[in-house]
Structures are given as C-alpha cells and as structure tokens.
Amino acid sequence: MQIVILAGGVGGSRFILGARRAYPDALITVVGNTADDITLHGLRICPDLDTIMYTLGRGSDAERGWGRRDESWQVMSELNAYAAEPTWFSLGDRDLGTHLVRTQLLNAGYPLSEVTAALTTRWLADEPQLRLLPMTDDRVETHITIADEQVPGGRRAVHFQEYWVRLHAEPAALDITLVGRESARPAPGVTEAIRGADLILVAPSNPVVSIGPILQVVGIRQALQDTAAPVVGFAGILGGAPVLGMAHRLLPAIGVAVDAAAVGRHYGARTAGGVLDVWAMDTADAGSADRVREAGLRPVVTDLIMTDPEATAAFIGYAVKSGTA
Amino acid sequence: MQIVILAGGVGGSRFILGARRAYPDALITVVGNTADDITLHGLRICPDLDTIMYTLGRGSDAERGWGRRDESWQVMSELNAYAAEPTWFSLGDRDLGTHLVRTQLLNAGYPLSEVTAALTTRWLADEPQLRLLPMTDDRVETHITIADEQVPGGRRAVHFQEYWVRLHAEPAALDITLVGRESARPAPGVTEAIRGADLILVAPSNPVVSIGPILQVVGIRQALQDTAAPVVGFAGILGGAPVLGMAHRLLPAIGVAVDAAAVGRHYGARTAGGVLDVWAMDTADAGSADRVREAGLRPVVTDLIMTDPEATAAFIGYAVKSGTA
C-alpha cells in the first residue's frame, strides 16, 4: 500500500507518527511544506522538513515540539554578542549542524529534494518505508502583509517566520502572498507519488501556511484531482480554535472562518474542483457535518486529539475506513 | 608612539600581550597572517586573526592556547553524525559564531579588513589603542607538498591546516607554496602603518607559515625596507627547537636550519636587502650571536620565554632598548 501525506511541521509530524502506526506495512511518502523556509545568517533553514526529520528520527524535543533534543544555544549567544541580525530567530547548536550541511549542499548545486534525501539517510535510517519530499525544489516563501504606519502606504510584507516568531502573530494578517509560486514546480516524485498512491492523507496542519502552499504549487492540485486514490483530510480546527499554532490569525486573511467545516469547504470536494473526498472533524464539530456534506465532501466525525501515536493511528484508521467505505 | 607588530596566532597573541604591557601608551597595529585561513563547511575561518582577537579580548582558552573559553562542540558532533567532511577540523560552537558572522559579511561583499574591523568592535572594545589588520584582503593560502605514493607523480599538496591538524605535521614537507601570492596586495592600512611607524616588531611566530606569508605579500617587504622605524625581530626557535608549534618540520623545506641564528639570517638585515635591524635570541643561543652579526644584524641575547605578559614585556623592552641604542 502506498500512502502520500501532505504535512506541515509540528502537527504534521505527530500525524505522520500516527499514520505510520495505523499502516505499518505501507510505503509512506510525506510531501512537506517548504514555504516557511528562510535564510538566516547565511544558512538555509527548512523548519517543517526538519521538524519531520527530527520527530521521525527520534531526535526532536518532544516537550517543545520543534527543534532538537538536548539542544544548546552557544552559537546563538555568540551571534547575539556580535549583534548579528536577526536576533529574534533562535538557532540551536544541534539544529545548526543540519543547516550547515544543507546550505553547503545547496550551494554546491544540489536541489533541495536531493539534499533532503541526503539528510534523511541519517534520520530515517530505521524507517526504510518512509520518504520525505519537499513540495518543491524552488524557492517559495509565505509573506504576510501587516499594517505599519511607519512605511509609505501603511502596509508592509514580512516573512512568515518574522510574523510568527518575532511578531508572535499579533498584528492582523491583511494579506498572504506565496512569493515564487508562479515559477515553482513540484519536486521530483511528488506528483508521481500522488498519482500512484492508494491513499492520500492531508494532515491537520495549518490550512493557510502549511497545506495551502503545498496545494498552490502548480501541478499538485491537478495531481490530487487526477489520482484514483481517496483523499482524506483532517481538521486542525477543533471547536473553533486550532489545536496547535495560529491558524485563527491567518484564516481571516483568506476569507475563511475559523471553523472546521469552513476549512473543509475551503479545501473543497474533488467532485467540485477541490482536493478532498473525505473531511474528518472532531466530535466538537459534529453539528457542522451537514455543511460539509452540502459541499460534496463525506464528513467523518471522531476524536481528533493527537494525544499519542496510538490515538492518532486510531482516528486515522477510523476516518479512512468509514470515509471511504 | 606607533608600533606595528607582524604576528601569527598563538605565539603572536602572547607577544602582543607583552608588547601592550611594554608600551602602554603606544598605538599598536597588528598585521596578522591570513595564509592559514580555510573555508570549511561553507564557513571562512581565520585562525590567526581569531586567536589574536580572542586572546586580546579575554575570550580565549588560555590552556589550549587557541579557540574560545567555555567552548562546546555540539555543532561538530552533528556534522560528524552527518558524516560531513572534513571531520578532522574541530569547530567549536562559540568559535563558529565568529565564522558565521564573518562568512555572512564576506559573502555580502565586504573585504576581510572591514570584516575584521567589525568583529573587533566586539573583542577590542576595551583596547582602543590596538588595531588588527589582516595582511591582505585577498585569498592567499599556504599549501604544503608531501609525498604520497597513491597519486601520479608521488607528491601532492595539502592545505596547511590539513598538514597541521589532520596529518600532525608528520609527513616531511617537500615544498611550501603560497597560493594566490602573485595577485595579493596588502590590506588597506598595512604598508601605511609600516611606513608611519616608530617601531616595528616581528613576533616569534613561525617564520615559514606565519611571518613568511606576511613578508611575501607584494609591497610589505618594500615597506619594511623603506620605513624609518627600527625593525626588531624575535626568535621563536630556542636552543634549536621551536617554543611552540612545528617550525622545525617546515624550515627544512625552505632550506633554513632549525636554529635561531639561521632564521635571523633568513629574514636578513635591511642593510643587505632583508627586513630586520635587530635580532633577539634566547640566552640558549648566545653562542651564535656572531653569525647574526656577520649577516649585518644587531643581535640581542636575552631570556625569550613568554611565561606571562610581564616577562614578555620585559624582554621586548630590553631587546628594543639595547638593540636600537
């Protein structure tokens, strides 16, 4: 059985751990979001891919949810002592090792997909059935437009990381732009995996800045419409609030209500030009199943809290079974 | 009073600490060797400049003699876990902060001299009378030719760092080449400082790979011959062996005996086309003062062990006073 999972970082990783447990014999291809990627201090940083690598490779900090276990911050304290901007993005020493290797390989001319394959030979050595692909080898970045009275026009765009890490998502997101979208193409293997899959899972990651960018890469949406595999999506909004992160700060900017059914309808049914067949929502949102059904999606209502891989595996298995029955 | 010091790394730093104590009111310009510089893991590393910065800025590891105090090696352990070559050059986490900042600035187009000035705003903040200049802004590297039966011709050249750190200076040095010498020019301020100085000190650093490269930068030797200031050199070879490092492994490759007088004669008297007026040797080498005098140099014999800055200051002051009397 071949499964493709579209995923962001922290929530995506937990979801993958569950899917692996639900389908222990499947070949799983994870298509990771790269629109959060950023170059800082000359290093190319891919937060979502790294979070997935570290989590799957048992190297992540489970409490923090991102970054490496047993992390230290000596390099960062030096960068701060030199007043090297930006100081708002903390790079751990262990994490930085990954960025150094990646940057070296990218500068040597290797595409991100090959670099990711090289890095995962370390992290996924014990997971031969798992493959991690970046959504694209091209540079694509989510920029958020915020109000700023200091600049002409009163608005400016900041990189997603600056919005999220430095500004703590406090300013209202007025607009969201995927810079580089027009020229980005899916990384080798991405659309092939989608077209050849037996099952496609859309993780309960941020619909605006994690799953959204993946769907915007030219060719990926078409592959999702073409594939014979059922596409099952999972709501990250439970009872009107995101389980993790800050989708509630970004959904308004794309005109979508902070509501599981609204997100499902935003993804849309494949029969109506969208990307999903099934939309799994938490029991807290049982009341809006009809609104999902109206949009041509098959709703599944179950407990979506990713307490541990076992609980996650259980709801994935249930949603797939009942949604594709 | 304006002093110029030509210096390598570890020995050079100790010498500078002594000179600063000997001449507390002088403006001291240090011209540092950059032929040991190397690019590893995409980072530009300047070991001699860094050793000087850290030592003068009280950030160095006094026991090890190089690198940072309170150093850790988390990034390096990650690079090793990725099997990222080379693994033989250990980069400390704190040290790496410097390399990241330097590499960023160099990649942004700033010359090494400006980058060094930027880095020293941190390290030499309490030393306004001290200025550190790289010998050149151009890329110059010492390569050592060694025998290698595995390659056609039976010889190959390795970067100085590979010879020193990886090979522990074990293979005989058959030849020494300063790659990039032809096109290298002195960094801004170097020849101006030499020509405008009241006193020039040549530190007891390695004559082959520390002082040698500085003297080979086109224009520096001429400035030393032109300056009205006395040029006082200090032997790093005491009783036929280097105090620090491995000059004894390299002097044979340039046809110079491992002997203080021979090194003094190699530098040569300014009156005979060389660069020195005075050559200070340790009391262990008192017997060869005549050989130094024969070459047109004024020998000074004193205790040259750099036990601490006070002892170093004492012999510098004595050598300058008695040599230039």
Side-chain angles (χ1 to χ4, degrees), chain A:
Chain A
M1 186 185 191
Q2 308 222 15
I3 300 177
V4 169
I5 303 177
L6 310 188
V10 179
S13 299
R14 292 189 193 164
F15 184 80
I16 297 162
L17 288 175
R20 192 181 55 174
R21 179 173 280 252
Y23 302 98
D25 300 323
L27 291 172
I28 299 180
T29 298
V30 176
V31 176
N33 170 45
T34 60
D36 293 5
D37 295 5
I38 190 165
T39 300
L40 295 172
H41 307 290
L43 301 172
R44 190 67 180 162
I45 302 165
C46 302
D48 283 359
L49 297 182
D50 288 349
T51 299
I52 293 171
M53 282 194 324
Y54 299 158
T55 305
L56 274 287
R58 297 173 197 79
S60 68
D61 186 296
E63 289 207 9
R64 209 166 46 218
W66 53 272
R68 295 290 309 281
R69 200 171 49 207
D70 304 322
E71 189 55 288
S72 58
W73 311 87
Q74 294 256 74
V75 176
M76 200 65 215
S77 82
E78 291 298 314
L79 294 176
N80 288 338
Y82 281 116
E85 293 288 343
T87 52
W88 50 262
F89 195 98
S90 286
L91 285 170
D93 297 328
R94 291 192 177 277
D95 192 31
L96 202 138
T98 300
H99 309 323
L100 270 176
V101 175
R102 174 189 293 121
T103 303
Q104 272 272 79
L105 293 171
L106 289 171
N107 287 346
Y110 293 98
L112 181 61
S113 52
E114 288 186 35
V115 174
T116 305
L119 296 173
T120 52
T121 57
R122 171 181 174 197
W123 293 104
L124 302 183
D126 296 337
E127 304 283 348
Q129 290 171 290
L130 218 144
R131 182 170 63 139
L132 175 61
L133 300 178
M135 65 188 200
T136 179
D137 280 336
D138 302 308
R139 189 160 170 174
V140 165
E141 285 180 358
T142 299
H143 286 204
I144 313 273
T145 302
I146 58 172
D148 184 345
E149 291 181 5
Q150 310 291 315
V151 298
R155 306 156 59 106
R156 70 184 171 101
V158 297
H159 188 287
F160 168 75
Q161 295 296 348
E162 184 171 353
Y163 180 75
W164 177 220
V165 177
R166 182 184 179 200
L167 302 172
H168 310 291
E170 277 160 15
L174 306 177
D175 197 9
I176 295 170
T177 317
L178 194 60
V179 177
R181 190 189 69 80
E182 294 74 12
S183 52
R185 292 296 170 269
V190 169
T191 55
E192 295 84 343
I194 292 171
R195 287 202 167 83
D198 301 299
L199 172 64
I200 297 179
L201 305 175
V202 177
S205 302
N206 189 310
V208 187
V209 294
S210 298
I211 304 299
I214 300 175
L215 298 177
Q216 284 184 70
V217 176
V218 176
I220 292 186
R221 174 175 281 269
Q222 189 62 51
L224 286 167
Q225 285 169 353
D226 294 347
T227 184
V231 185
V232 181
F234 294 79
I237 305 285
L238 276 65
V243 187
L244 271 172
M246 37 119 226
H248 60 295
R249 300 293 296 148
L250 298 172
L251 283 165
I254 61 165
V256 176
V258 185
D259 168 275
V263 172
R265 291 169 67 110
H266 167 65
Y267 285 142
R270 295 211 290 166
T271 51
V275 297
L276 298 181
D277 298 309
V278 179
W279 183 237
M281 299 190 294
D282 192 70
T283 45
D285 299 299
S288 50
D290 281 348
R291 281 171 54 218
V292 170
R293 203 173 284 114
E294 278 163 23
L297 292 164
R298 212 178 301 179
V300 173
V301 175
T302 184
D303 182 353
L304 289 190
I305 301 288
M306 298 190 281
T307 325
D308 52 46
E310 216 156 82
T312 309
F315 77 61
I316 293 173
Y318 173 78
V320 170
K321 208 176 261 180
S322 68
T324 64

